[in-house]
Amino acid sequence: MAGSVQTPPVEPTDEPALVETDPLTKPAATPGEWLRLNLFSTGSNTVLTLAFGMLLGYAVFRLLMFVFVTANWEIVRVNLTTFLVGTFPRGELFRVWVAIVLISVVSGLGVGVAARRRGRAAPVELLRTAAPGLIVLAVLLALTRTPTPALMVVASGLAALAARSVGVRLPPRAGRYMPVVYVAAVFGAYAAFTTGSPLTYSNFQGLLLNVFLAVAAITLSFPFGVLLALGRRSTFPAVRVVCVGYIELIRGVPLIALLIFGATMLGFFVPEGMTRPDQVTRALVAFVLFAGAYVAEDVRGGLQSVPAGQVEAAKAIGLSPIKTTRLIVLPQALRNVIPALVGQFISLTKDTVLVSLIGLTEVLRVARAVTRQEGFAGQGLQAETLLFAGFLLWSVAFTMSRASQRLEKRLGVGTR
């Protein structure tokens, strides 16, 4: 074409392209380089690193001195079973071990099925994954006075390894049924406590009560919250108004107020002739009502993150609104809010200590009560008992956090 300018072809060259990179985000080749780039890159960073390093070192030194030198752990050693299960009948403790072995078997089966689908993990990765659980087991076994717990832990570990060897031999499609197996294991563990016995969850105390309330509240509040989130985005005004009103009302009420309301007034809503719920049930209802509102808001954020074009595309190929929500919208929405949901569930787990305000004996109440026992009263052992109760709750919360991180990594949350 007349008047057009021909661009000369660019000849290939062996010189690397110049790409400007941020030195703070540049991957370090060695640990020494990482320290220089992240902690000692400037004079002010060096001063802050040294100052906070000294404070952290002093705090760790004082904690280690207390744990291994000055603390008197005899009160925890004597009351270890009370911390874990409260006054649960000692003759029925075999039910606890049956539930633990069942959970170990299902966990090992799940690990085996996952290894079959994604390949065997490296030994370092396996050790890193199991490290929190191994630390907790080591601490608990170090405080036991009989060999029975150690033998039962070994039996549970062998059962988990045997189940894992079965899991790696199952076909890959078995993975789609594992959520059902996990739910069945939870009900099976509860059946181990109640089958052939008058015991119910109202007999749970100590850490067992905290774990039960957390698991039951998470299991029940999650579908409740999803329905509330969908109802808040419903095109039916009546449904939308009810869901919005419920969420805003519950979010404005403290959890303590809901627990006291459930403990004192929930019985008045039970029709005449029906058995009034016990205190554990009332606390569980309060937790489900409270957590459901917050889960709904988390899920609503996930629903808003799904592009509208995907919904329009689903309509274009003839999917019904229910199938569009179930197959297109909800999977992406829930995947996007995994960190928020796990944070909410960890907070809910820690909030279970509040049930001591309505007279229930959870692990924190046990920690205070044992210091008044004969032989330990007046010795100032509250630091030991509270630190041990905090360690138990931290182990539960940290295990949930690690499981969430593995799930986020598997689903590629934040990377795709």
Side-chain angles (χ1 to χ4, degrees), residues 11-275:
E11 296 182 357
T13 177
D14 296 334
E15 295 181 359
L18 296 178
V19 179
E20 186 176 354
T21 58
D22 186 353
L24 295 179
T25 59
K26 179 182 177 182
T30 63
E33 186 181 1
W34 184 91
L35 290 174
R36 183 178 60 79
L37 291 175
N38 294 275
L39 300 181
F40 301 100
S41 57
T42 63
S44 57
N45 284 348
T46 301
V47 172
L48 289 174
T49 299
L50 293 177
F52 282 100
M54 292 175 63
L55 289 175
L56 180 62
Y58 178 74
V60 172
F61 170 75
R62 295 292 306 214
L63 178 63
L64 294 178
M65 285 293 293
F66 175 77
V67 171
F68 294 105
V69 179
T70 60
N72 179 11
W73 297 109
E74 186 62 21
I75 186 173
V76 176
R77 195 186 307 275
V78 172
N79 295 284
L80 181 59
T81 306
T82 307
F83 271 98
L84 298 179
V85 297
T87 59
F88 194 84
R90 297 301 186 257
E92 303 287 339
L93 285 180
F94 72 91
R95 298 179 182 276
V96 180
W97 286 113
V98 171
I100 292 175
V101 171
L102 177 61
I103 296 296
S104 301
V105 169
V106 175
S107 300
L109 186 65
V111 171
V113 172
R116 169 79 173 182
R117 297 175 62 187
R118 299 190 299 272
R120 296 178 183 273
V124 176
E125 183 65 23
L126 287 176
L127 183 61
R128 185 182 303 172
T129 302
L134 294 177
I135 293 174
V136 174
L137 280 178
V139 172
L140 294 180
L141 293 179
L143 293 171
T144 57
R145 295 181 296 176
T146 63
T148 303
L151 295 175
M152 293 307 300
V153 168
V154 172
S156 301
L158 293 176
L161 291 176
R164 183 184 180 280
S165 64
V166 173
V168 296
R169 290 173 173 78
L170 294 177
R173 65 176 181 275
R176 67 180 66 175
Y177 302 107
M178 286 311 298
V180 179
V181 176
Y182 290 139
V183 174
V186 172
F187 284 99
Y190 180 71
F193 282 99
T194 57
T195 302
S197 170
L199 299 174
T200 64
Y201 57 78
S202 61
N203 299 100
F204 292 172
Q205 293 183 348
L207 183 65
L208 180 61
L209 177 61
N210 295 87
V211 174
F212 168 76
L213 286 175
V215 173
I218 291 171
T219 305
L220 296 176
S221 66
F222 177 70
F224 182 46
V226 172
L227 291 177
L228 284 174
L230 294 175
R232 183 162 187 163
R233 291 167 54 91
S234 173
T235 56
F236 296 99
V239 175
R240 186 170 64 250
V241 168
V242 170
C243 293
V244 171
Y246 174 83
I247 293 172
E248 298 302 330
L249 173 65
I250 296 298
R251 292 179 68 197
V253 179
L255 177 58
I256 296 177
L258 282 178
L259 287 172
I260 296 176
F261 174 82
T264 57
M265 302 185 64
L266 189 61
F268 295 110
F269 294 91
V270 178
E272 291 290 339
M274 294 185 64
T275 304

Side-chain angles (χ1 to χ4, degrees), residues 5-13:
V5 178
Q6 297 293 329
T7 302
V10 178
E11 296 182 357
T13 177

Side-chain angles (χ1 to χ4, degrees), residues 259-407:
L259 287 172
I260 296 176
F261 174 82
T264 57
M265 302 185 64
L266 189 61
F268 295 110
F269 294 91
V270 178
E272 291 290 339
M274 294 185 64
T275 304
R276 294 193 173 186
D278 54 59
Q279 288 290 58
V280 176
T281 303
R282 299 181 186 209
L284 180 59
V285 171
F287 278 120
V288 172
L289 295 179
F290 183 81
Y294 284 89
V295 170
E297 286 302 279
D298 292 338
V299 175
R300 184 172 69 92
L303 294 174
Q304 291 178 340
S305 68
V306 179
Q310 298 197 21
V311 178
E312 296 173 358
K315 292 180 180 177
I317 62 176
L319 290 182
S320 65
I322 294 179
K323 285 188 175 180
T324 301
T325 301
R326 182 169 62 88
L327 300 177
I328 306 296
V329 178
L330 265 186
Q332 299 181 75
L334 297 179
R335 171 183 170 274
N336 292 339
V337 296
I338 287 176
L341 286 176
V342 173
Q344 177 62 37
F345 293 151
I346 290 177
S347 177
L348 176 65
T349 302
K350 294 184 292 186
D351 287 342
T352 56
V353 299
L354 295 176
V355 297
S356 62
L357 297 176
I358 58 175
L360 295 177
T361 308
E362 45 71 47
V363 67
L364 202 58
R365 188 170 186 175
V366 172
R368 296 194 300 267
V370 296
T371 59
R372 297 191 292 270
Q373 288 179 338
E374 185 179 358
F376 299 115
Q379 297 186 18
L381 298 176
Q382 290 84 359
E384 284 86 347
T385 58
L386 291 176
L387 182 61
F388 183 69
F391 171 75
L392 294 176
L393 292 172
W394 169 83
S395 64
V396 176
F398 188 69
T399 301
M400 295 172 63
S401 176
R402 294 283 296 176
S404 168
Q405 292 174 8
R406 290 196 297 272
L407 183 60

